[in-house]
């Protein structure tokens, strides 16, 4: 797209895609349909998760039996040996089940990331030009990339870190309540509740401190210190109370030495994953924010929609008609006023005028980047609002001022006009655009990389690539949007003939500032302030001695001065 084709008189950047100030959990629910596609893998992964946690919780129980079996005057070797082997098996199972869970679930996460990213990518292509003009450069890519990565982190933390930990807490509390007494279960839950409460509260202070890191470095360090101290204090108090209770039971004969070891093992085993809770809490909040940014893109409504009964455009001859078209990018700033003209099939109409006159808006409306405010635009009698956007844009080719080239081979950049074209068709398009000789003279020929945005090519070479790309597309309707305004005079004159040649057999709309590019047009529209103030062929407009004649005289003088 050209600079003039893309630059619109748009409103200031819209905050529509901005996420809520505080991240919420509502986006998590939107992830599950994408994860549920592989429900078999999800269920197997959950089964392995539960199996790994059951094995992990069983380890202290078996350790208790080993201690109790050995805590005798003459322990029998057979009984502890069976429990010791079981202890090893459980340790192995808890680790292996967790690894298998990650392997099986990896495909689910990767497929969900791909599907969400593609859904956002397709939706973005369906949004209006206005949306893309309001976005910051790179902002969309950043939101998609961060959002997809955040989704993976979010699923990992919630499903494989938080869920197993909560499950283990409930299992341990239940086991202690049943095997020992209710006090152990209550102490466990109270200790963990206090630990989580301190962690979440102090972490949120720490997270907000990080936002202004340079000015708040000391406060952040203090917050982190408070967090570590609070966590250590809660653990120490909880463990001490639990061990004290168990030791008292051993002394009074109500509990065994194995029970004491089991209680201590349970607590240490539970607090190990919780030690990362502060980090997980901050990263979960960040991940939710990033996921919501990505979903905010999906929530953005399309400004230009296909009608429910839209049909494919049927191009018979290619006659284009603007009839009493009014349009405004913003309601308080009208751009076009009652614009009417016809481009007969196979003819060329040019729109000229000063910057801001509304001539580039004609091309945007014909391409249906925006819908007209009132009036209509038809192609062969078909209102473009009643046909599909894909079929409309397939029938229109654009040679812009600033050709968009990809950092790929010159063959790829020309074939982009019609990806299913044969190599012979691509070569023929390059020949017609008078760039074949240049390509074949390059060291790598067709495989030559053009560089980012075609920086390795000159302005004239880039334009010839654009011409070849358009010729390959072979559209019925052609838009030349300031196609040579960025070129020097010599290069411009060399390319003008090629542009006029490809326009001869097509219905063409030329948007131009330099009048020398439109002297051969079948009709010239002179625009000012959104109105067509003059129209006619080049000789007729010169004879009127009006605005066009004045513009022509000024440009001729400028060229003469430039040539001296």
């Amino acid at each position: 797209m050209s600079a003039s084709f893309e630059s619109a008189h748009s409103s200031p950047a819209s905050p529509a895609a901005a996420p809520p100030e505080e991240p919420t959990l509502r986006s998590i629910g939107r992830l599950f349909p994408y994860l549920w596609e592989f429900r078999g893998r999800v269920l197997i992964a959950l089964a392995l998760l539960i199996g790994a946690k059951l094995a992990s919780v069983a380890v202290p129980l078996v350790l208790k039996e080993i201690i109790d079996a050995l805590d005798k005057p003459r322990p029998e070797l057979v009984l502890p040996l069976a429990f010791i082997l079981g202890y090893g098996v459980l340790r192995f199972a808890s680790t292996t089940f967790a690894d298998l869970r990650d392997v099986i679930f990896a495909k689910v996460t990767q497929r969900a990331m791909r599907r969400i990213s593609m859904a956002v990518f397709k939706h973005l292509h369906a949004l209006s030009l206005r949306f893309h003009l309001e976005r910051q450069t790179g902002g969309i890519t950043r939101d998609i990339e961060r959002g997809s990565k955040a989704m993976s982190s979010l699923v990992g933390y919630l499903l494989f870190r938080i869920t197993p930990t909560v499950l283990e807490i409930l299992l341990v509390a239940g086991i202690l309540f049943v095997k020992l007494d209710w006090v152990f279960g209550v102490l466990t839950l109270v200790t963990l509740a206090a630990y989580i409460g301190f962690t979440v509260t102090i972490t949120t202070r720490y997270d907000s401190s990080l936002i202004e890191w340079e000015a708040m470095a000391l406060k952040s360090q203090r917050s982190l210190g408070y967090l570590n101290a609070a966590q250590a204090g809660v653990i120490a108090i909880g463990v001490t109370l639990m061990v004290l209770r168990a030791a008292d039971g051993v002394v009074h004969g109500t509990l065994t030495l194995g029970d004491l070891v089991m209680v201590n093992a349970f607590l240490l085993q539970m607090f190990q994953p919780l030690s990362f809770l502060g980090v997980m809490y901050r990263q979960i909040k960040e991940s939710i924010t990033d996921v919501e940014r990505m979903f905010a893109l999906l929530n953005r409504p399309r400004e230009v929609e296909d009608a429910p009964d839209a049909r494919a455009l049927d191009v018979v001859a290619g006659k284009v008609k603007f009839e009493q078209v009014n349009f405004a990018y913003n309601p308080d700033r009208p751009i076009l006023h009652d614009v009417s003209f016809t481009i007969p099939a196979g003819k060329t109409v040019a729109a000229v005028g000063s910057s801001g006159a509304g001539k580039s808006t004609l091309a945007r409306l014909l391409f249906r980047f925006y819908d007209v405010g009132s009036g209509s635009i038809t192609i062969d009698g078909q209102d473009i609002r009643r046909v599909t956007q894909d079929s409309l844009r397939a029938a229109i080719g654009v040679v812009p001022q600033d050709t968009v080239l990809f950092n790929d081979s010159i063959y790829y950049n020309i074939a982009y006009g019609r990806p299913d074209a044969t190599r012979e068709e691509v070569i023929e398009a390059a020949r017609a655009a008078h760039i074949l000789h240049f390509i074949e003279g390059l060291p790598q020929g067709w495989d030559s990389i053009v560089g980012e945005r075609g920086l390795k090519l000159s302005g004239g070479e880039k334009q010839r690539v654009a011409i070849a790309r358009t010729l390959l597309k072979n559209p019925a309707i052609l838009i030349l949007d300031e196609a040579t305004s960025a070129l020097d005079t010599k290069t411009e004159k060399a390319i003008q003939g090629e542009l006029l040649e490809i326009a001869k057999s097509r219905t063409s709309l030329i948007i131009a500032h330099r009048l020398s590019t439109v002297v051969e047009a079948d009709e010239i529209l002179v625009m000012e302030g959104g109105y067509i103030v003059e129209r006619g062929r080049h000789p007729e407009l010169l004879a009127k001695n009006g605005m066009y004649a004045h513009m022509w005289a000024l440009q001729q003088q400028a060229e003469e001065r430039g040539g001296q």
Side-chain angles (χ1 to χ4, degrees):
M1 299 300 167
S2 69
S4 62
F5 203 51
E6 290 188 345
S7 62
H9 312 281
S10 55
S11 58
S14 168
E21 291 184 2
E22 282 297 323
T24 64
L25 296 177
R26 67 170 179 261
S27 293
I28 297 175
R30 298 186 64 179
L31 295 177
F32 284 104
Y34 295 95
L35 299 174
W36 200 239
E37 178 183 355
F38 289 97
R39 55 182 61 86
R41 284 178 174 266
V42 172
L43 293 175
I44 293 173
L46 289 175
L48 288 170
L49 181 152
I50 294 172
K53 194 50 61 181
L54 289 175
S56 178
V57 170
V59 167
L61 293 173
V62 174
L63 186 61
K64 162 192 159 41
E65 298 299 330
I66 294 174
I67 297 297
D68 287 342
L70 294 174
D71 189 29
K72 294 178 181 178
R74 296 185 62 185
E76 298 179 10
L77 185 60
V78 176
L79 187 60
L81 181 60
F83 280 113
I84 290 172
L85 292 175
Y87 178 84
V89 170
L90 289 172
R91 282 286 188 189
F92 175 78
S94 64
T95 303
T96 304
F97 285 174
D99 291 337
L100 288 175
R101 174 204 68 196
D102 293 338
V103 170
I104 289 174
F105 200 79
K107 186 172 183 178
V108 179
T109 306
Q110 294 301 320
R111 175 61 62 87
M113 287 172 59
R114 194 188 84 185
R115 285 191 60 208
I116 293 176
S117 297
M118 284 303 300
V120 175
F121 186 73
K122 290 179 179 178
H123 184 71
L124 289 173
H125 278 72
L127 295 178
S128 68
L129 179 61
R130 189 191 308 273
F131 168 80
H132 294 282
L133 293 174
E134 291 172 353
R135 297 289 299 185
Q136 293 180 347
T137 303
I140 294 176
T141 305
R142 178 200 62 205
D143 289 347
I144 296 176
E145 182 179 358
R146 287 185 179 179
S148 58
K149 289 182 179 178
M151 189 207 74
S152 177
S153 300
L154 199 56
V155 171
Y157 284 130
L158 292 177
L159 202 57
F160 297 143
R161 301 291 289 274
I162 301 297
T163 300
T165 301
V166 172
L167 178 63
E168 183 174 15
I169 291 171
L170 295 177
L171 286 172
V172 169
I175 290 171
L176 294 178
F177 183 84
V178 172
K179 290 189 68 69
L180 303 182
D181 61 41
W182 66 270
V183 177
F184 285 97
V186 171
L187 281 175
T188 300
L189 294 177
V190 169
T191 301
L192 289 169
Y195 183 95
I196 294 171
F198 273 113
T199 300
V200 171
T201 301
I202 297 179
T203 297
T204 303
R205 186 189 312 159
Y206 178 54
D207 191 41
S208 61
S209 299
L210 285 175
I211 298 174
E212 300 176 351
W213 169 256
E214 292 184 359
M216 307 295 289
L218 181 59
K219 183 179 177 182
S220 296
Q221 190 61 43
R222 287 174 179 172
S223 298
L224 185 59
Y226 294 152
L227 174 62
N228 292 335
Q231 289 176 330
V234 171
I235 293 174
I237 293 172
V239 170
T240 301
L241 290 175
M242 297 278 279
V243 172
L244 181 62
R245 175 79 177 177
D248 183 68
V250 172
V251 170
H252 290 85
T254 57
L255 298 178
T256 66
L257 187 61
D259 290 326
L260 188 148
V261 173
M262 178 187 69
V263 169
N264 188 62
F266 270 141
L267 289 175
L268 295 179
Q269 189 167 292
M270 279 192 304
F271 282 117
Q272 184 178 1
L274 285 175
S275 62
F276 297 101
L277 181 60
V279 175
M280 282 192 294
Y281 179 68
R282 287 193 301 275
Q283 292 185 347
I284 286 173
K285 285 182 67 178
E286 292 172 2
S287 296
I288 292 175
T289 299
D290 289 336
V291 168
E292 288 187 345
R293 280 185 182 274
M294 184 173 64
F295 278 127
L297 295 175
L298 271 177
N299 292 337
R300 180 72 181 240
R302 300 179 182 182
E303 183 176 338
V304 178
E305 287 270 22
D306 283 346
D309 58 346
R311 298 181 179 181
L313 176 66
D314 182 19
V315 181
V316 179
K319 177 183 176 182
V320 175
K321 186 175 183 180
F322 280 63
E323 190 168 7
Q324 296 180 319
V325 170
N326 292 277
F327 176 74
Y329 292 108
N330 297 308
D332 58 347
R333 188 184 178 188
I335 299 297
L336 297 181
H337 306 273
D338 198 29
V339 171
S340 297
F341 65 91
T342 299
I343 312 177
K347 299 297 183 180
T348 298
V349 169
V352 301
S354 58
S355 178
K359 55 188 186 295
S360 289
T361 301
L362 301 177
R364 298 190 195 105
L365 293 177
L366 178 58
F367 217 70
R368 210 183 166 208
F369 282 150
Y370 303 90
D371 278 330
V372 298
S374 63
S376 66
I377 303 173
T378 60
I379 297 176
D380 288 335
Q382 303 160 82
D383 192 319
I384 63 173
R385 289 170 295 188
R386 310 303 301 177
V387 300
T388 62
Q389 295 175 67
D390 287 344
S391 64
L392 171 66
R393 291 166 184 170
I396 301 174
V398 181
V399 179
Q401 172 186 347
D402 183 19
T403 305
V404 177
L405 297 185
F406 304 98
N407 190 19
D408 209 310
S409 69
I410 198 166
Y411 180 90
Y412 174 87
N413 277 281
I414 293 177
Y416 183 75
R418 183 157 57 91
D420 60 346
T422 64
R423 188 174 183 87
E424 289 71 23
E425 289 173 322
V426 174
I427 293 173
E428 186 56 37
R431 180 180 288 109
H434 301 282
I435 196 175
L436 181 60
H437 180 71
F438 165 77
I439 295 172
E440 292 179 340
L442 294 172
Q444 283 79 41
W446 285 96
D447 295 325
S448 300
I449 304 299
V450 303
E452 190 71 27
R453 297 186 64 84
L455 291 177
K456 293 184 179 180
L457 302 180
S458 68
E461 291 158 358
K462 287 174 64 176
Q463 285 305 88
R464 285 193 170 92
V465 169
I467 294 170
R469 181 188 284 176
T470 303
L471 286 171
L472 184 64
K473 185 178 181 181
N474 193 26
I477 300 167
L478 179 66
I479 298 175
L480 303 180
D481 183 38
E482 302 276 10
T484 60
S485 62
L487 305 177
D488 58 81
T489 304
K490 181 180 179 181
T491 307
E492 178 190 29
K493 290 181 177 178
I495 290 180
Q496 272 181 17
E498 297 160 16
L499 291 175
L500 293 175
E501 187 63 30
I502 68 171
K504 280 182 180 179
S505 59
R506 296 172 174 84
T507 304
S508 303
L509 173 63
I510 301 178
I511 309 297
H513 176 70
R514 293 181 185 173
L515 303 185
S516 58
T517 62
V518 302
V519 294
E520 300 295 329
D522 296 294
E523 184 180 30
I524 300 171
L525 308 176
V526 183
M527 301 190 67
E528 182 64 27
Y531 293 92
I532 298 177
V533 295
E534 292 179 356
R535 64 172 72 202
R537 293 180 62 87
H538 175 69
E540 298 168 357
L541 292 173
L542 288 181
K544 287 182 179 180
N545 199 28
M547 183 176 176
Y548 181 86
H550 179 65
M551 293 169 59
W552 177 264
L554 289 177
Q555 291 190 14
Q556 291 299 304
Q557 292 173 12
E559 289 185 11
E560 289 175 3
R561 286 196 300 268
Q564 292 176 355

